[in-house]
Amino acid sequence: MAERALIDERFIAELKRWRDVRGLSQSALAAKVGYTPSYVSKVENAQLAPSEAFARQADDVLRAGGALRRAFREAASGAPALPAARPAPEPQHATSLIVEHEDTELRYDGRAYRATQRRLLYNDSPDPVTSYLIRISVDRYPGDPERSNQHYRQNPLTWDEIQLKASIGGEPIGWRVQHDRDAFKELWLLFENEDGRYPLYPGESAWLEYSYTVSDDKWGSWFQRAVRLPTKKLSVRLDFPAELGPAVWGTETTMTAAAFPFRHPIRSTTEGDRRVFCWSTDEPPLHARYRLEWRFRTNHTEETNLTRTPDTASGRMQAIGIVQEGDPILTTPARLFSLPDEAEDARRVVAELNSAADRAASVHNFGKGMGIAAPQIGINRSAAIIRTPEGESITLFNPRIIEESGGFDEQYEGCLSFFDVRGMVPRPMSISVEHTDIDGQQRITIFERGHARLVAHEVDHLHGLLYRSKMRPGVEPIPVSEYRGTGSRWSYSEKRP
C-alpha cells in the first residue's frame, strides 16, 4: 500500500498541474481520454490507483511532455520519491465559500516576480471554515512541455525561494503541504498560528491574503486565474518596469467555450518608472480561466546590446524582438500544430504574433502590408499572420502552397529578419494554399497578386526559406537607402503577364 500511495502522490500532483495548465475540468479530461468523470475524480482524490494506460492517454491529451508517464514509471520502479503527504484537514463546507472579491497583483522587479493574492471570503455554510486550498504552478516555456519539464527537473521550484507568506483577517497563518513537485505546489492554508485559531464563522467575511516569489528564470510570461468558487468580482494588476516596454494581452476560457479575447479591455497607465496594467470583471462564471500574457520589447541583455547596435532598419527590428538572419530557427522547418488538440497553444502563438506586428508597425510604415511568421519571434511552430494593405488580417496554421498559376511577377520585398535590404523576388500571381483552421478543418484558400506575394513570403518562412533563395541567379538585394517604394502599395498592371 505504501508503494501504491507513492504512485498516487506523484501522479496526482502532475495530473492536477497539467489539467490546470490546459484549462480542463475533470469531466472534460475524462471525455478526451475515454474514461468516466468518476474515474478521474477518484484518481485525483487518491481513491483509485491510476492505470498505466490512463497515464499514457492523459499525458498525450494534456501535452505534458512525458511528465505523467514519468511520474507513474518512476514510482512503479521504486525510484526515490517524495514521501506521501500527511493527511490534510478538509475545509468544512468549502463549497459554501463565496469569494466577494479576488484581487491579484503580480509585480516584476527585473529579476523575480512577486504574486500577491487577496480574497474576501464569505462563509455561507452553517459551520466554521478553518482551511483553504491553494496552488502555485509555473511553466517557463508554455507550448513546449518537454523543455519546461527538463528545465524544472534541473532547477526545481523550492520553498526557500518562494518565501510564502499568508494571513487571514490580518493575522499571520501557517500551512500544510499537500503536493510538492518540481513546478507545482499545493497546500492548505490553516487559519491558525502558535497564538491561536482564527476560524471564519458562518455569515462572516474576512480577507485571506498570500504572496510568493518566483525568479524570472522559472516564471513563464503568463499569469492565470481560475474561478474555482462562486466569485462576485475578479481584478488583476500587472506591475512591470516601464523601461522594458511591456505589451500585455489576455484570453478567457470556459468549460463550454473555446478561448477568446477578454470581453473587457486591459487598461494601462504609467506610474513613475513603472508600467501598470489593470483588468477586472464582475460575476465571472464558475470554472472560467483568465490568462494574461506579456512580452517585453526589451530586456536587460537587449538593453545593453542596444548601445552596440547601429540605428538601422534591422537594428530597430531586432530591438523589438524580431529574430535576425543567422539564427538557425529561420532555416528550420517549423513544427506543425495538431489541431484542434493544440488550439490553446495556437491561440497564444497568434497573440504573440499580433503583439509583434503592432510593435513593428510602430517603427515602420508598411504601405504594402506586412506579415510575421512564428519563427521570426523565436517560436518554432507553423503559424503566421498577414496584414493586407486594405486592413484585412489573415491567420494561417500549417500552410503549404499546393498550386501556382497566372504567371509570375517580380517586385521588391523586405523581410523583418534582414530589413536593411530589399530584394527583387519573382512570385506567382495566384497561389492555392492548403491550411488548417483552429478547429482542425482543412481549408484551401486562393490568394492573388499582392496578397499572394505576402502569403507566399510567410509560407516560405514556415518551411525554413528566406526570400534570398527565391531571387534569380546573379541578382542581389539592394540597400534600403536605394529603395524608393517605402509606404507605397504593390503595383500591378490591369492585365496579367
Side-chain angles (χ1 to χ4, degrees):
M1 291 297 293
E3 182 180 355
R4 180 76 266 165
L6 287 178
I7 294 176
D8 291 345
E9 279 298 309
R10 291 167 181 263
F11 189 78
I12 289 170
E14 293 293 350
L15 181 62
K16 286 184 175 180
R17 180 203 174 206
W18 284 104
R19 187 169 61 76
D20 193 53
V21 167
R22 299 304 178 196
L24 292 180
S25 66
Q26 291 180 345
S27 296
L29 175 62
K32 288 179 176 292
V33 298
Y35 286 72
T36 66
S38 175
Y39 182 95
V40 177
S41 176
K42 288 180 179 179
V43 166
E44 288 199 358
N45 288 293
Q47 298 171 344
L48 180 68
S51 68
E52 186 174 1
F54 176 77
R56 290 196 305 269
Q57 290 169 265
D59 192 276
D60 291 340
V61 166
L62 295 173
R63 306 187 304 284
L68 295 173
R69 285 180 168 91
R70 187 164 48 253
F72 186 94
R73 186 172 59 248
E74 287 177 354
S77 65
L82 291 169
R86 290 175 292 172
E90 293 294 330
Q92 297 87 343
H93 297 281
T95 54
S96 295
L97 278 175
I98 296 173
V99 180
E100 297 183 321
H101 186 185
E102 175 177 327
D103 182 51
T104 298
E105 178 182 65
L106 184 70
R107 180 181 174 85
Y108 179 55
D109 64 8
R111 297 178 301 278
Y113 292 90
R114 183 71 178 175
T116 301
Q117 317 225 13
R118 301 176 70 243
R119 294 188 179 98
L120 181 58
L121 300 178
Y122 173 74
N123 184 0
D124 194 36
S125 75
D127 299 308
V129 173
T130 59
S131 58
Y132 187 87
L133 186 68
I134 68 168
R135 296 172 183 170
I136 300 172
S137 180
V138 292
D139 189 2
R140 181 65 180 84
Y141 303 106
D144 195 345
E146 295 90 346
R147 187 179 181 190
S148 272
N149 289 333
Q150 181 180 6
H151 178 69
Y152 291 116
R153 286 198 300 274
Q154 297 172 350
N155 306 279
L157 192 63
T158 67
W159 291 104
D160 286 342
E161 73 175 290
I162 286 176
Q163 302 176 49
L164 180 66
K165 293 183 179 179
S167 65
I168 180 76
E171 288 289 339
I173 56 175
W175 53 84
R176 187 191 305 277
V177 176
Q178 176 77 359
H179 290 120
D180 184 353
R181 301 293 288 162
D182 293 343
F184 175 87
K185 313 295 183 190
E186 186 174 66
L187 58 147
W188 292 97
L189 297 182
L190 308 177
F191 299 173
E192 62 183 56
N193 58 26
E194 57 187 19
D195 296 324
R197 303 191 74 187
Y198 311 98
L200 183 61
Y201 289 101
E204 289 187 345
S205 296
W207 280 101
L208 173 69
E209 179 174 330
Y210 62 96
S211 59
Y212 55 91
T213 297
V214 179
S215 59
D216 57 8
D217 65 323
K218 297 179 184 177
W219 188 290
S221 56
W222 63 278
F223 189 53
Q224 180 170 284
R225 304 307 311 130
V227 181
R228 297 192 177 93
L229 293 173
T231 301
K232 295 183 178 180
K233 183 178 181 64
L234 175 66
S235 56
V236 180
R237 172 186 168 101
L238 304 181
D239 186 338
F240 299 123
E243 64 180 357
L244 298 182
V248 176
W249 60 94
T251 54
E252 174 185 348
T253 305
T254 68
M255 294 306 171
T256 58
F260 48 85
F262 281 174
R263 300 174 189 271
H264 307 295
I266 300 172
R267 307 294 184 185
S268 63
T269 58
T270 299
E271 301 178 6
D273 62 351
R274 311 289 299 179
R275 189 69 176 169
V276 177
F277 298 83
C278 297
W279 174 83
S280 65
T281 187
D282 294 327
E283 305 293 342
L286 199 62
H287 305 305
R289 282 171 168 78
Y290 299 93
R291 186 183 183 98
L292 292 100
E293 300 184 65
W294 57 89
R295 184 179 181 90
F296 296 138
R297 295 183 176 90
T298 61
N299 57 37
H300 298 303
T301 303
E302 289 171 343
E303 197 70 41
T304 301
N305 289 339
L306 282 178
T307 60
R308 305 172 191 161
T309 303
D311 184 21
T312 63
S314 291
R316 287 189 288 275
M317 291 302 161
Q318 183 178 14
I320 63 168
I322 304 298
V323 174
Q324 295 300 293
E325 187 178 23
D327 191 308
I329 197 171
L330 296 179
T331 53
T332 302
R335 186 158 58 95
L336 300 178
F337 281 102
S338 176
L339 296 171
D341 292 343
E342 293 186 299
E344 181 184 351
D345 292 339
R347 289 188 181 94
R348 286 203 297 268
V349 172
V350 170
E352 292 229 25
L353 287 169
N354 277 300
S355 178
D358 290 341
R359 296 195 301 274
S362 71
V363 298
H364 185 80
N365 177 20
F366 292 91
K368 296 179 176 63
M370 67 175 299
I372 300 182
Q376 291 182 281
I377 57 172
I379 301 175
N380 185 32
R381 298 309 301 268
S382 187
I385 63 168
I386 293 92
R387 295 181 177 179
T388 72
E390 299 79 22
E392 179 187 3
S393 181
I394 300 168
T395 299
L396 297 173
F397 299 112
N398 306 340
R400 66 186 185 96
I401 298 172
I402 59 175
E403 185 179 355
E404 300 176 346
S405 61
F408 281 77
D409 170 73
E410 194 170 20
Q411 297 201 42
Y412 279 109
E413 293 183 13
C415 180
L416 302 182
S417 293
F418 49 104
F419 211 47
D420 287 337
V421 297
R422 300 292 185 269
M424 186 67 78
V425 185
R427 297 282 188 189
M429 292 288 286
S430 178
I431 59 174
S432 297
V433 178
E434 183 182 75
H435 57 103
T436 310
D437 281 354
I438 197 76
D439 61 3
Q441 296 296 314
Q442 290 291 114
R443 306 284 185 187
I444 296 177
T445 304
I446 298 174
F447 300 96
E448 297 186 335
R449 299 194 172 193
H451 294 179
R453 181 173 292 275
L454 288 167
V455 169
H457 182 111
E458 301 311 321
V459 172
D460 280 351
H461 269 301
L462 299 178
H463 290 81
L465 301 173
L466 302 178
Y467 76 65
R468 293 181 192 273
S469 65
K470 296 297 181 75
M471 296 176 67
R472 288 185 289 108
V475 177
E476 295 294 332
I478 63 171
V480 68
S481 59
E482 298 178 12
Y483 177 61
R484 297 293 178 260
T486 298
S488 63
R489 298 284 186 102
W490 299 110
S491 176
Y492 287 91
S493 61
E494 288 302 317
K495 295 182 179 180
R496 295 181 179 178

